[in-house]
C-alpha cells in the first residue's frame, strides 16, 4: 500500500464524516443562533470572551491536539501493525470522538458554560458530580505527567549526526527549547497588542504568523543557550503551567492558541504533501507478528505464556492510540475554556466536530511517519526504540524537504520537533487551568488565592512524580493515561445521554459509543489492576505497575459509582432537565 492511497481514503472518510454525519448530529441538538450564549451574556474579557469561530478553532485545536495523536498511533503501529490503527482512527474519530467533543461543547454552552462535572450535578446528582470531579482531576494528573515528559524530551534530545551535518556546535533539543520559549513570548506580545492596540485580525496574522516561523529559524542560531538538565526543565515547564493557568485568557492562551493553530495547520499541510507526493511505500507490517484475539484470555489464565500487557490487541489498541480517535480530555477543554468563548450555537460544529476530525488526520500523519520506516530504522544507537516524538519530528522533516529541498534539513528537523512541542505545550497549561477550575468547584475556593492553591496542587503532584521517576516515565504511565482518558469520554457521554433522555430527546448516537468505549476501558483497567497485583507479589517489586494498579482501582470505583448514580437518575426521572 502507498501513502497516497492512505491519504485519499483518509480525506474522503473525514470529509464525508463532517458533511454528512456531523450535519446529522448537529440536527439532533437543534442549534439555535437566536439563543444568547454564556460568552455573550457574561462577557468579562477574562474567562468569558466571545470569539470568532476561525480564531477559536485554532485555539481549541491547539489545546486538544497534544501528544496523544502523535505518540499513540506510532506506538500502536509498532505493537499491532498499521491496519488495526487505521481502522480504529478513521471509524473512531467520526462516530465516537467527534460526537463526544461536539456533544460536550453543546451541553456545556447550554448549561451556562459549566464543566462536564457540573452538568452531571444538575442532571444526575451531587454525589455523581463529586465522583466525576475526583476522576477528572486524577486523569488530568496523568495528562500532565505524560505530556510534560514528552515536552522535556524534545528539549533535551540532541542529534549528533545533525550537528555534524551543520558543521557547528548545534544542539537540536536546545534549538527546539529556544524556539518554544520565544514562541510563548511572541504569543504574549500578540495578546498585548490585540488587547490594547486593537489591531485587526488580518494584520495580526500577517505579522505574527511569519514571526512564528522566524523564531524557529532563530532557535537554530542560539541552539546552545538553553541546554539544561531534564529535571531543571521539569521545574521550568510546570512553573510556566502554574503561571499561565492564572493569566487572563487574552494575555496568552487565545493568542498562543491562534499561533499554535497555524503551526499545527502547517504541520498537517506538510504531512499531506508527504502523503500525496512523497512517493513513500509502507514498510511496517499490516498486522504485527503474534497479534491475535486470544491475548486477553491468555493474560488472565497466567502462567509462563502470559503475554505482555500492552501486546493484547483488545483492549490496548484502543487506549494506546488514545486521543487520535477519542479523548475525554477534549470534553474538559470544551466545558472549561471553549464553551466560554462560543459566540453562537452554530459555531459548535466547526469548532468541536471539525477540530476532532483534524486531530484524526494528525493521527494518520503520525502513523505514516512510522509506516515508512523499517524495523531497524525505529531503533536508536543503543538498541532501544526511538521516542515517538523523534520519529514524528524526523518524519515531518522528511516531508518538509520535499518542498524546501535537502539543504533545509536543519530548519526542517527543528520545525518538526517544535511541532511536537507545540502540540504538547499548548495542552499543558490548559490542563493545569482545568485542574484549577475543578478543585475550585469542588472546594468552593473562589478568588485569586483559591485559584493559586488549586493550581499549585495540580502541578505539584506531577512534579513530584517526574522528579522521582526515571527519564521517559511517560512510557510507563501512557497506558493508564489512555485508559483513564477514554473512560472519562465514556462517562461524559453517559452524562450527556442522561441529559438528553431527561429532555425527551433521542440519545442513541451518544449511548452506543458510550457503551463501546466503556467496555474497552473497564477491561483495560481490570487488566492493569491485575498486573499491579501480580507485580506486588513478585520478589523484586516494580512499583510503577503497582501504583498504576492502585490508581486504576480508584478510577474504576469512581466510574462504577458514577454509573450507579446515572442509573438512579434515570429511574427517578421527573420532568425535564435544564438546557432543554
Amino acid at each position: 500500500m502507498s501513502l497516497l492511497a492512505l491519504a485519499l481514503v483518509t480525506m474522503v472518510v473525514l470529509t464525508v464524516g463532517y458533511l454528512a454525519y456531523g450535519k446529522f448530529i448537529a440536527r439532533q441538538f437543534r442549534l439555535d443562533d437566536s439563543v444568547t450564549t454564556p460568552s455573550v451574556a457574561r462577557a468579562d474579557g477574562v474567562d468569558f470572551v466571545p470569539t470568532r469561530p476561525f480564531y477559536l478553532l485554532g485555539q481549541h485545536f491547539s489545546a486538544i491536539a497534544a501528544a496523544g495523536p502523535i505518540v499513540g498511533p506510532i506506538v500502536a503501529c509498532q505493537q499491532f501493525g498499521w491496519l488495526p490503527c487505521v481502522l480504529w482512527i478513521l471509524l473512531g474519530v467520526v462516530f465516537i470522538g467527534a460526537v463526544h467533543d461536539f456533544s460536550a461543547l453543546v451541553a456545556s454552552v447550554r448549561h451556562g458554560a459549566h464543566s462536564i462535572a457540573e452538568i452531571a450535578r444538575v442532571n444526575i446528582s451531587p454525589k455523581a458530580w463529586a465522583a466525576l470531579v475526583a476522576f477528572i482531576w486524577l486523569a488530568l494528573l496523568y495528562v500532565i505527567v505524560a505530556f510534560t515528559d514528552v515536552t522535556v524530551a524534545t528539549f533535551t534530545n540532541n542529534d549528533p549526526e545533525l550537528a555534524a551535518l551543520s558543521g557547528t556546535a548545534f544542539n537540536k533539543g536546545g534549538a527546539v527549547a529556544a524556539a518554544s520559549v520565544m514562541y510563548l513570548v511572541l504569543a504574549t506580545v500578540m495578546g498585548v497588542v490585540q488587547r490594547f492596540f486593537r489591531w485587526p485580525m488580518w494584520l495580526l496574522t500577517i505579522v505574527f504568523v511569519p514571526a512564528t516561523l522566524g523564531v524557529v529559524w532563530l532557535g537554530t542560531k542560539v541552539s546552545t543557550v538553553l541546554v539544561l538538565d531534564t529535571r531543571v526543565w521539569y521545574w521550568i515547564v510546570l512553573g510556566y503551567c502554574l503561571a499561565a493557568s492564572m493569566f487572563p485568557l487574552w494575555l496568552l492562551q487565545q493568542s498562543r492558541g491562534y499561533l499554535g493553530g497555524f503551526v499545527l495547520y502547517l504541520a498537517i499541510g506538510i504531512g499531506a504533501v508527504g502523503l500525496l507526493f512523497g512517493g513513500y511505500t509502507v514498510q511496517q507490517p499490516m498486522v504485527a507478528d503474534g497479534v491475535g484475539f486470544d491475548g486477553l484470555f491468555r493474560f488472565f489464565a497466567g502462567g509462563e505464556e502470559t503475554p505482555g500487557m500492552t501486546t493484547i490487541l483488545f483492549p490496548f489498541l484502543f487506549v494506546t492510540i488514545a486521543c487520535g480517535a477519542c479523548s475525554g480530555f477534549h470534553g474538559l477543554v470544551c466545558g472549561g475554556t471553549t464553551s466560554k468563548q462560543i459566540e453562537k450555537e452554530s459555531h459548535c460544529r466547526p469548532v468541536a466536530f471539525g477540530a476532532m476530525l483534524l486531530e484524526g488526520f494528525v493521527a494518520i500523519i503520525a502513523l505514516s511517519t512510522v509506516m515508512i520506516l523499517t524495523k531497524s530504522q525505529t531503533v536508536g544507537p543503543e538498541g532501544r526504540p526511538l521516542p515517538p516524538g523523534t520519529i514524528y519530528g524526523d518524519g515531518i522533516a522528511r516531508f518538509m524537504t520535499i518542498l524546501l529541498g535537502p539543504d533545509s534539513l536543519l530548519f526542517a528537523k527543528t520545525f518538526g520537533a517544535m511541532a511536537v512541542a507545540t502540540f504538547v505545550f499548548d495542552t499543558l497549561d490548559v490542563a493545569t487551568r482545568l485542574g484549577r477550575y475543578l478543585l475550585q468547584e469542588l472546594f468552593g475556593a473562589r478568588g485569586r488565592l483559591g485559584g493559586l492553591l488549586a493550581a499549585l496542587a495540580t502541578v505539584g503532584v506531577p512534579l513530584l512524580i517526574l522528579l522521582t521517576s526515571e527519564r521517559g516515565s511517560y512510557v510507563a504511565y501512557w497506558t493508564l493515561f489512555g485508559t483513564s482518558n477514554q473512560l472519562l469520554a465514556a462517562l461524559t457521554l453517559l452524562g450527556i445521554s442522561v441529559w438528553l433522555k431527561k429532555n425527551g430527546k433521542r440519545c442513541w448516537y451518544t449511548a452506543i459509543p458510550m457503551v463501546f468505549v466503556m467496555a474497552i476501558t473497564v477491561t483495560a483497567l481490570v487488566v492493569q489492576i491485575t498486573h499491579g497485583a501480580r507485580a506486588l507479589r513478585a520478589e523484586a517489586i516494580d512499583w510503577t505497575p503497582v501504583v498504576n494498579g492502585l490508581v486504576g482501582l480508584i478510577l474504576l470505583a469512581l466510574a462504577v459509582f458514577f454509573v450507579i448514580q446515572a442509573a438512579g437518575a434515570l429511574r427517578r426521572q421527573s420532568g425535564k432537565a435544564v438546557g432543554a
Side-chain angles (χ1 to χ4, degrees):
M1 182 182 182
S2 68
L3 292 191
L4 174 59
L6 175 63
L8 294 176
V9 169
T10 298
M11 291 176 180
V12 169
V13 170
L14 297 183
T15 301
V16 172
Y18 181 79
L19 296 177
Y21 200 61
K23 187 175 182 180
F24 167 79
I25 296 297
R27 283 202 307 268
Q28 307 310 305
F29 284 93
R30 299 176 183 176
L31 303 182
D32 185 357
D33 284 349
S34 68
V35 174
T36 302
T37 61
S39 74
V40 176
R42 301 173 61 186
D44 59 9
V46 179
D47 289 324
F48 291 85
V49 183
T51 307
R52 297 176 183 176
F54 180 74
Y55 190 40
L56 184 55
L57 172 63
Q59 178 189 321
H60 178 78
F61 180 46
S62 63
I64 67 172
I70 295 175
V71 175
I74 291 174
V75 173
C77 180
Q78 294 173 292
Q79 291 177 346
F80 306 110
W82 62 263
L83 181 59
C85 298
V86 169
L87 292 175
W88 169 233
I89 291 170
L90 293 184
L91 295 177
V93 76
V94 173
F95 295 106
I96 300 178
V99 173
H100 164 273
D101 290 15
F102 175 78
S103 303
L105 183 55
V106 174
S108 179
V109 168
R110 291 185 175 176
H111 285 78
H114 285 295
S115 68
I116 297 302
E118 183 63 24
I119 294 171
R121 183 214 291 264
V122 172
N123 293 285
I124 300 177
S125 71
K127 292 181 180 178
W129 165 79
L132 191 56
V133 167
F135 185 103
I136 292 171
W137 194 72
L138 281 174
L140 280 175
L141 297 185
Y142 271 78
V143 170
I144 295 171
V145 167
F147 291 0
T148 298
D149 208 35
V150 170
T151 302
V152 171
T154 66
F155 291 173
T156 56
N157 180 33
N158 195 15
D159 189 339
E161 293 183 4
L162 193 60
L165 181 65
S166 69
T168 63
F170 178 78
N171 186 293
K172 178 183 173 183
V176 177
S180 297
V181 170
M182 288 186 286
Y183 157 72
L184 293 174
V185 173
L186 187 68
T188 304
V189 172
M190 178 180 166
V192 171
V193 169
Q194 183 184 25
R195 177 75 171 183
F196 295 105
F197 295 94
R198 306 291 183 181
W199 284 14
M201 188 56 62
W202 65 267
L203 182 57
L204 290 167
T205 302
I206 64 174
V207 170
F208 286 95
V209 171
T212 302
L213 296 179
V215 302
V216 177
W217 172 83
L218 189 57
T220 66
K221 303 302 179 183
V222 292
S223 65
T224 58
V225 174
L226 292 179
V227 178
L228 304 174
D229 181 73
T230 296
R231 282 171 168 73
V232 174
W233 274 118
Y234 289 152
W235 281 96
I236 293 174
V237 171
L238 290 174
Y240 156 77
C241 291
L242 174 65
S245 71
M246 299 298 295
F247 291 161
L249 288 173
W250 62 263
L251 180 59
L252 176 61
Q253 186 166 318
Q254 285 190 329
S255 54
R256 186 220 58 215
Y258 186 68
L259 295 179
F262 275 97
V263 173
L264 306 186
Y265 297 148
L266 185 56
I268 290 175
I270 293 169
V273 168
L275 290 173
L276 294 170
F277 306 111
Y280 294 101
T281 57
V282 175
Q283 303 294 327
Q284 291 288 320
M286 183 180 295
V287 179
D289 293 338
V291 171
F293 293 97
D294 62 340
L296 190 63
F297 300 103
R298 290 191 292 116
F299 175 85
F300 284 117
E304 296 182 358
E305 297 185 359
T306 301
M309 186 180 67
T310 56
T311 64
I312 303 171
L313 182 65
F314 180 89
F316 290 104
L317 164 71
F318 305 94
V319 299
T320 299
I321 289 178
C323 312
C326 176
S327 171
F329 175 76
H330 297 181
L332 304 184
V333 176
C334 289
T337 56
T338 304
S339 63
K340 295 177 174 66
Q341 299 172 77
I342 287 289
E343 188 174 14
K344 298 180 180 179
E345 285 195 352
S346 62
H347 296 172
C348 293
R349 182 182 168 211
V351 170
F353 206 99
M356 185 61 221
L357 296 186
L358 280 175
E359 180 149 343
F361 193 40
V362 170
I364 291 294
I365 291 172
L367 186 64
S368 72
T369 63
V370 70
M371 288 170 65
I372 62 177
L373 302 179
T374 63
K375 186 175 181 179
S376 62
Q377 291 176 310
T378 63
V379 179
E382 299 178 358
R384 292 187 294 184
L386 288 174
T390 299
I391 293 175
Y392 175 82
D394 290 351
I396 291 296
R398 289 189 188 92
F399 296 159
M400 197 171 191
T401 55
I402 297 172
L403 294 171
L404 303 181
D407 293 339
S408 65
L409 188 61
L410 195 69
F411 175 84
K413 284 207 171 188
T414 302
F415 175 83
M418 183 184 168
V420 177
T422 302
F423 271 106
V424 180
F425 226 150
D426 288 357
T427 298
L428 275 171
D429 63 70
V430 173
T432 308
R433 183 182 289 269
L434 294 175
R436 171 171 77 83
Y437 287 163
L438 287 167
L439 286 186
Q440 285 185 274
E441 274 191 32
L442 184 62
F443 295 107
R446 305 301 178 189
R448 300 293 292 177
L449 179 60
L452 178 61
L453 293 175
L456 277 170
T458 303
V459 299
V461 176
L463 179 62
L464 179 62
I465 293 173
L466 289 167
L467 291 177
T468 56
S469 302
E470 296 182 2
R471 180 179 176 180
S473 60
Y474 80 90
V475 176
Y477 296 106
W478 187 267
T479 302
L480 187 55
F481 150 69
T483 305
S484 63
N485 187 36
Q486 291 196 340
L487 180 52
L488 175 57
L491 297 179
T492 299
L493 287 170
L494 175 57
I496 292 169
S497 298
V498 171
W499 167 57
L500 292 171
K501 187 71 174 177
K502 292 178 72 172
N503 278 282
K505 298 179 181 178
R506 294 184 296 178
C507 64
W508 61 266
Y509 49 89
T510 57
I512 292 176
M514 178 270 294
V515 172
F516 180 73
V517 177
M518 188 81 73
I520 290 169
T521 51
V522 168
T523 303
L525 276 183
V526 171
V527 170
Q528 290 170 85
I529 292 167
T530 303
H531 183 55
R534 290 173 178 173
L536 191 60
R537 294 197 301 267
E539 292 183 7
I541 298 176
D542 180 357
W543 288 104
T544 298
V546 173
V547 171
N548 285 346
L550 178 60
V551 174
L553 186 61
I554 296 171
L555 292 173
L556 182 60
L558 291 170
V560 170
F561 182 79
F562 186 87
V563 172
I564 292 172
Q565 290 291 306
L570 289 176
R571 283 197 304 268
R572 61 179 181 270
Q573 174 180 343
S574 60
K576 291 187 176 182
V578 301

